[in-house]
Amino acid sequence: MTDRAFDRPAYTLAADLDRALGDPTADSGPFSYAAMVAHEENGELPPGAVDLIRSWGFAQYLVPEEFGGRLRNLEQLFLLTRSLSRRNLTVAVMFGSAVLGVNPVWLWGDAEQRAKVARGILGGDLACFAVSEPDHGSDLGTNETAAVLHAGGYLLTGEKWPVGNATRGRFVTVYAAVEGAGSSLLLLDKEELDDGSWDNHPFVRTVGLRGHDLSGITFQDTKVPAGSLLGRPGAGLVEILQVLQITRTAIGGLSLGTMDSVLRIALRHARERILYGQEIYRLPVIRRHLVDSYLDLLIAECTALPVARSLSVAPSRLSLWSSVVKYLVPTLGEQVVQECARVLGARSYLREGVASGVFQKLQRDHAIASIFEGTTHVNLHSIASQLPAVARVADRPSRGGEDVLRQLFDWSEEAPVWHPSGRELRLTSAAEDEITRGWNPAVEEALRIAEHELPEPEGTALAKVVGELSARRTAFYTHLAAASLDAATTEGQDRAAEHCVYHAAASCLYTWLHTFGQERAETGGSGWLVLVLQRLLQRLQPEAVLDETFLPWLEERIMSSLDAAEYFSLRTVKEAAGQSGA
């Protein structure tokens, strides 16, 4: 059966990359678990891994089409990142650091800057984003790196650390206090800098991502051409905050890839491990860990993918939505890793054995997802600072909101082509949050469908869980609209986290409405929605339980994906529901 929602070039491209990477359980190959674990012991990438990715053409998808590459939109890059992260998060982060380094060029660079960087990236060069300083971390208001006027250009002095790709990267986007301009971004090409005026730090030894170039760079009166300024003089801080919105969203792909791998390893182990005369999957507690993990993965997918699409649909919303993804999806990923570790038991701690001992690497590597591009606390603060404005209009549908939601959640069409422009990004969403504001109309439609189109028990169960979420949601936003909220307090963090649950619930509901139109009345076509909404309700109301009625069908989907080596995804859920009604 052909499914238009997933029979699209972006998915075909990700599948092609997945085939090129090969079977991770094979005994050899640069993306086999055995090779990854063996070489990580020495802090190295497996020989041939980066060459394979480059020969496949991954660099083409770091450069937008209008600048000579093949990148059409962030959804495409998100899916490729998910595929690569499913195998080796270290390699994915290397290219992710390059994306962060070049995105300011695509957004604010002039024609010459864009052309030079595009040629370099397409030729295999890397880039880095040199913002952090040893003594200041995420305090971007404090910036000791300075560029003073000199002979028609600048002399740059300062230290940036830690920086991904600082040593391997050719292009360096530097945040500096520029004389006569203020804090700005500068684009440097190491090949044009004087020898001896700059130096790289040794690689930092890290818990995870061993073999990744996390290092630093020091400048000492380094001559920099006047044409190195990126974008508007003095706008460096604003540009950093805006460009991070893109990579925060893409990090969701890192987490989804990791979730897929750890769940696959744990499921296979649960089916092969015999205790007490049966496979351990039959133990209720083991089954619960695995089912919960699968549902969390579906929630993460429903939440992250539409926000990736929003870069070319509604980019001004990214200030809020990207922080929701950056907080919630890595958090879900961490929980999935923990659940799967419980399934593996002592074997999760071993550097050999099950899946060549790769689980401990995946566990350590994924720990970075909630740290870089703004920690969990930083992103919750960003959400909390925008919540009062959002709460005041949370129950007022926005003009044109239905069209925006359709473009985000109807996956039968490719996301529009991204035409990079820094002017389209904003520092706040200004309450333009269709995902929050569209909830009530979506619920009305869901209740109509539940009553007139869905069989029992799907209709009753859906109406019940939607009603429970709606009641809590109404009270939440009503309270926020009437009270003041200090984003810097623990209450601000807690309120922001709760908002993310409602954002995710709405995302799951819209996905069902816009992408499951033909399947929702078939077996499983709505049961998955009931389960993910119940799972989200458990985050607010721990005593809530999953409806066992819908689990057998869902478990069949989990196992069929495992046996067919397919992604754990709504794609397989949708296809199976469609086949049940064929």
Side-chain angles (χ1 to χ4, degrees):
M1 180 178 183
T2 300
D3 186 342
R4 285 185 63 239
F6 297 97
D7 184 26
R8 301 194 276 107
Y11 284 91
T12 301
L13 188 66
D16 184 72
L17 174 60
D18 201 62
R19 285 190 294 271
L21 296 176
D23 180 3
T25 64
D27 293 333
S28 61
F31 284 92
S32 68
Y33 291 150
M36 285 188 281
V37 172
H39 290 281
E40 177 166 280
E41 296 292 324
N42 298 319
E44 300 171 349
L45 297 176
V50 176
D51 289 340
L52 189 156
I53 295 299
R54 283 178 170 149
S55 65
W56 182 83
F58 197 91
Q60 303 262 349
Y61 301 97
L62 308 182
V63 181
E65 282 188 336
E66 64 185 271
F67 305 139
R70 301 181 67 181
L71 176 63
R72 295 184 60 80
N73 48 56
L74 186 57
E75 178 189 36
Q76 180 191 62
L77 182 58
F78 183 96
L79 293 172
L80 290 175
T81 299
R82 175 180 180 171
S83 183
L84 183 53
S85 301
R86 186 183 181 203
R87 308 306 177 82
N88 193 323
L89 203 67
T90 309
V91 177
V93 169
M94 181 185 78
F95 285 102
S97 295
V99 169
L100 179 57
V102 298
N103 272 344
V105 182
W106 311 146
L107 290 167
W108 297 288
D110 59 33
E112 182 178 350
Q113 290 169 330
R114 287 168 168 170
K116 176 195 283 190
V117 172
R119 285 193 302 270
I121 296 298
L122 293 173
D125 292 321
L126 294 173
C128 67
F129 196 55
V131 172
S132 296
E133 295 183 345
D135 294 332
H136 309 302
S138 60
D139 180 8
L140 301 180
T142 304
N143 181 22
E144 295 185 13
T145 302
V148 297
L149 293 169
H150 175 77
Y154 304 98
L155 291 179
L156 180 66
T157 299
E159 178 183 12
K160 295 297 183 180
W161 178 95
V163 177
N165 291 346
T167 298
R168 293 175 180 154
R170 170 187 168 186
F171 300 105
V172 187
T173 298
V174 180
Y175 179 49
V178 179
E179 184 179 1
S183 293
S184 306
L185 294 180
L186 300 169
L187 173 65
L188 309 184
D189 181 349
K190 286 182 181 178
E191 295 183 356
E192 298 177 353
L193 302 180
D194 291 343
D195 292 341
S197 68
W198 62 278
D199 188 36
N200 281 122
H201 298 193
F203 284 18
V204 179
R205 297 176 63 190
T206 53
V207 172
L209 302 180
R210 297 175 186 177
H212 176 50
D213 169 14
L214 185 65
S215 53
I217 186 167
T218 299
F219 303 99
Q220 184 60 53
D221 291 336
T222 306
K223 294 180 181 178
V224 177
S228 298
L229 272 173
L230 269 175
R232 184 167 56 85
L237 179 56
V238 170
E239 291 169 355
I240 290 170
L241 296 176
Q242 290 175 332
V243 77
L244 287 175
Q245 297 169 14
I246 300 174
T247 45
R248 282 174 177 167
T249 303
I251 285 169
L254 301 179
S255 288
L256 276 168
T258 303
M259 290 185 219
D260 190 288
S261 290
V262 297
L263 180 55
R264 191 170 304 277
I265 291 167
L267 271 167
R268 188 168 287 118
H269 176 71
R271 286 176 51 175
E272 295 173 353
R273 176 70 166 160
I274 304 297
L275 284 179
Y276 316 114
Q278 61 181 343
E279 60 185 46
I280 64 171
Y281 182 79
R282 301 302 171 189
L283 299 175
V285 66
I286 298 296
R287 175 174 173 261
R288 183 178 68 185
H289 289 318
L290 294 169
V291 168
D292 286 352
S293 295
Y294 183 77
L295 293 174
D296 284 346
L297 187 154
L298 296 186
I299 292 166
E301 185 179 45
C302 285
T303 304
L305 193 58
V307 178
R309 292 171 64 89
S310 74
L311 179 62
S312 45
V313 173
S316 64
R317 282 55 157 184
L318 272 176
S319 61
L320 177 61
W321 292 352
S322 67
S323 288
V324 171
V325 170
K326 180 58 174 60
Y327 159 71
L328 184 62
V329 175
T331 298
L332 290 171
E334 290 170 351
Q335 292 173 349
V336 168
V337 170
Q338 291 171 0
E339 297 283 347
C340 291
R342 293 187 177 101
V343 172
L344 292 171
R347 285 162 176 78
S348 69
Y349 193 70
L350 304 182
R351 290 152 59 191
E352 59 183 27
V354 175
S356 299
V358 78
F359 185 88
Q360 48 81 30
K361 168 180 165 54
L362 293 167
Q363 188 173 40
R364 289 184 286 102
D365 286 353
H366 184 263
I368 194 64
S370 62
I371 297 173
F372 62 2
E373 318 298 64
T375 64
T376 293
H377 299 135
V378 167
N379 283 282
L380 287 175
H381 183 279
S382 175
I383 295 165
S385 66
Q386 300 182 66
L387 267 186
V390 171
R392 286 191 287 271
V393 295
D395 292 326
R396 298 185 216 162
S398 56
R399 182 177 301 175
E402 181 58 30
D403 183 57
V404 171
L405 293 175
R406 181 190 59 77
Q407 292 184 71
L408 295 178
F409 293 94
D410 178 0
W411 298 348
S412 65
E413 301 292 337
E414 291 280 307
V417 174
W418 180 42
H419 298 287
S421 171
R423 292 190 298 272
E424 294 182 340
L425 298 172
R426 300 288 185 270
L427 292 181
T428 69
S429 68
E432 292 180 317
D433 181 3
E434 290 85 355
I435 293 177
T436 296
R437 298 175 66 176
W439 173 262
N440 286 336
V443 166
E444 291 176 7
E445 176 66 6
L447 293 177
R448 184 194 67 77
I449 293 169
E451 181 179 358
H452 297 291
E453 299 181 23
L454 299 188
E456 288 290 345
E458 283 93 336
T460 299
L462 179 59
K464 181 175 184 294
V465 70
V466 164
E468 290 172 327
L469 283 166
S470 289
R472 296 187 70 100
R473 178 188 177 280
T474 297
F476 174 77
Y477 290 115
T478 299
H479 172 78
L480 276 181
S484 59
L485 181 67
D486 184 346
T489 63
T490 55
E491 181 192 5
Q493 299 265 308
D494 292 343
R495 297 293 186 183
E498 184 170 350
H499 168 79
C500 291
V501 175
Y502 300 124
H503 177 110
S507 297
C508 294
L509 182 58
Y510 302 144
T511 300
W512 177 75
L513 287 171
H514 291 284
T515 297
F516 279 73
Q518 296 180 349
E519 298 82 12
R520 57 195 178 208
E522 306 299 338
T523 301
S526 297
W528 72 269
L529 177 65
V530 173
L531 289 170
V532 296
L533 293 180
Q534 289 173 342
R535 178 69 176 150
L536 284 165
L537 184 61
Q538 287 179 333
R539 299 183 72 88
L540 307 173
Q541 186 178 311
E543 66 274 15
V545 296
L546 300 181
D547 193 325
E548 289 281 338
T549 306
F550 308 112
L551 287 179
W553 186 89
L554 190 78
E555 290 176 85
E556 288 181 16
R557 305 286 67 74
I558 299 174
M559 295 308 179
S560 65
S561 294
L562 177 67
D563 293 335
E566 295 177 335
Y567 285 107
F568 296 123
S569 169
L570 275 177
R571 176 177 187 167
T572 55
V573 173
K574 179 175 167 65
E575 288 174 348
Q579 290 166 358
S580 70

